Amino acid sequence: MHNRAGILAVLAISLGLTTSCAVKAPPDDIVSPERAMIIGYVEAEYPIDAIDFHEYGVTYVPPFTVPPRVLVYKDGFFMAENVKPGKYFISGFYSDRKLYTTVNSAQTAYQNIVIIKPGAVQYVGSHRIEVYKRRLLTRGEFEVKQIQRPGERQALRHFYHVTEGTGWQKKIARRLQELRQ
């Protein structure tokens, strides 16, 4: 009887850990004034689950160096908070079914650089992944296109609510005010 209670406790704890990992992590608060936030949007045939956002010229060797954490929401909006200023690029989009690598050389990385300024809330655009040649076992051929909607204001409004209770919310409100002028 005592052993059965122990097994049930272990199962309850593992179920709790599993469900807690399934919930989208909230954004972290600002760790220092020079850190920035990037926001954007992506749509594709399959929902995008993860985005690789890399600093130009940096090689990532986990666990020693890791790229910024990018939170991707079910509605296609994405964000990375506490990004240090520098030159960055999106190197890939992932769904549970497909990998869309956008950078395959130093030249394509350089052509897609976004400069992140200290303390900024930086909009990196809205993107659509269009697959135009399908293949059975591979991702086929695709193109990542810039799209107009949702624009920066819609992305800021979305993240204004997501960042409630953090210093990011004030920065987002300030950026929305700047866009109104």
Side-chain angles (χ1 to χ4, degrees), residues 125-178:
S126 291
H127 315 274
R128 176 181 297 134
I129 300 170
E130 293 182 1
V131 178
Y132 54 90
K133 282 191 181 176
R134 300 190 189 289
R135 298 214 171 98
L136 186 60
L137 299 176
T138 63
R139 70 175 187 263
E141 294 181 32
F142 68 94
E143 185 176 2
V144 179
K145 293 186 173 184
Q146 290 282 330
I147 56 176
Q148 296 297 316
R149 302 241 181 257
E152 183 177 5
R153 285 184 182 166
Q154 291 91 349
L156 288 165
R157 285 186 200 116
H158 172 80
F159 287 111
Y160 180 81
H161 299 290
V162 171
T163 58
E164 188 173 342
T166 69
W168 296 115
Q169 191 176 43
K170 291 176 187 163
K171 286 186 177 238
I172 290 170
R174 199 169 327 144
R175 179 66 185 141
L176 278 166
Q177 187 63 34
E178 289 171 3

Side-chain angles (χ1 to χ4, degrees), residues 96-127:
D96 62 343
R97 300 176 190 212
K98 304 281 183 188
L99 161 63
Y100 304 100
T101 304
T102 57
V103 173
N104 55 13
S105 69
Q107 182 180 5
T108 57
Y110 185 76
Q111 291 170 345
N112 292 302
I113 284 179
V114 176
I115 297 172
I116 305 300
K117 297 177 182 148
V121 175
Q122 180 77 40
Y123 175 65
V124 294
S126 291
H127 315 274

Side-chain angles (χ1 to χ4, degrees), residues 29-151:
D29 208 345
I30 300 172
V31 296
S32 70
E34 73 273 354
R35 293 298 175 113
M37 171 184 278
I38 64 116
I39 60 172
Y41 174 82
V42 63
E43 61 185 42
E45 180 179 25
Y46 301 107
I48 299 300
D49 302 323
I51 297 173
D52 278 343
F53 190 65
H54 290 186
E55 187 172 5
Y56 185 75
V58 174
T59 302
Y60 296 103
V61 183
F64 306 108
T65 54
V66 293
R69 173 181 80 151
V70 179
L71 301 173
V72 183
Y73 295 85
K74 290 182 191 230
D75 56 7
F77 287 101
F78 61 88
M79 67 174 287
E81 76 279 50
N82 291 308
V83 176
K84 67 180 185 174
K87 297 177 182 179
Y88 290 84
F89 60 93
I90 295 173
S91 68
F93 298 96
Y94 300 88
S95 78
D96 62 343
R97 300 176 190 212
K98 304 281 183 188
L99 161 63
Y100 304 100
T101 304
T102 57
V103 173
N104 55 13
S105 69
Q107 182 180 5
T108 57
Y110 185 76
Q111 291 170 345
N112 292 302
I113 284 179
V114 176
I115 297 172
I116 305 300
K117 297 177 182 148
V121 175
Q122 180 77 40
Y123 175 65
V124 294
S126 291
H127 315 274
R128 176 181 297 134
I129 300 170
E130 293 182 1
V131 178
Y132 54 90
K133 282 191 181 176
R134 300 190 189 289
R135 298 214 171 98
L136 186 60
L137 299 176
T138 63
R139 70 175 187 263
E141 294 181 32
F142 68 94
E143 185 176 2
V144 179
K145 293 186 173 184
Q146 290 282 330
I147 56 176
Q148 296 297 316
R149 302 241 181 257

